Amino acid sequence: MTLYVLLNYSGKKSLENYYLTSNSPLISSVLPLSISLIIRSGGECRLSDFCPLESAYAEIIAVEEMWPDVGVERVGECIEEWGRRRKRRGG
């Protein structure tokens, strides 16, 4: 398992930069094509322009804690919950 932490990321801005300048890399060149799990802090249940292409089939788990307070144990709980979910991949 690989963990990526993205802060203040704009998927829309990444796409705009890619199309406006040929030397601006897409975040997709770093991230896998498909994200499996997004842990959304602050209790919000929306993606807010976060990896719109990569997160098409991602499972989203919203936690009440703000990001600095989300500890290793809480991340582990989210991964365990993700493991129990039935992943339908759009089907």
Side-chain angles (χ1 to χ4, degrees):
M1 175 181 289
T2 303
L3 174 66
Y4 294 90
V5 178
L6 298 174
L7 304 172
N8 197 25
Y9 169 76
S10 169
K12 182 179 177 186
K13 188 55 116 178
S14 179
L15 289 172
E16 287 172 357
N17 289 340
Y18 177 77
Y19 286 111
L20 292 176
T21 63
S22 60
N23 61 356
S24 178
L26 276 171
I27 194 73
S28 298
S29 64
V30 176
L31 291 176
L33 291 178
S34 179
I35 296 174
S36 300
L37 171 63
I38 294 174
I39 301 172
R40 180 66 159 106
S41 60
E44 299 294 337
C45 294
R46 65 179 188 276
L47 290 178
S48 301
D49 189 33
F50 181 78
C51 296
L53 299 175
E54 300 87 353
S55 64
Y57 295 110
E59 296 289 324
I60 302 170
I61 297 177
V63 296
E64 291 297 322
E65 301 95 329
M66 298 303 284
W67 179 248
D69 300 325
V70 178
V72 174
E73 185 176 319
R74 187 67 171 116
V75 170
E77 292 170 359
C78 291
I79 292 171
E80 287 175 6
E81 179 181 335
W82 171 79
R84 290 188 296 269
R85 290 185 178 186
R86 179 173 168 238
K87 291 117 186 131
R88 290 172 263 170
R89 294 289 201 181

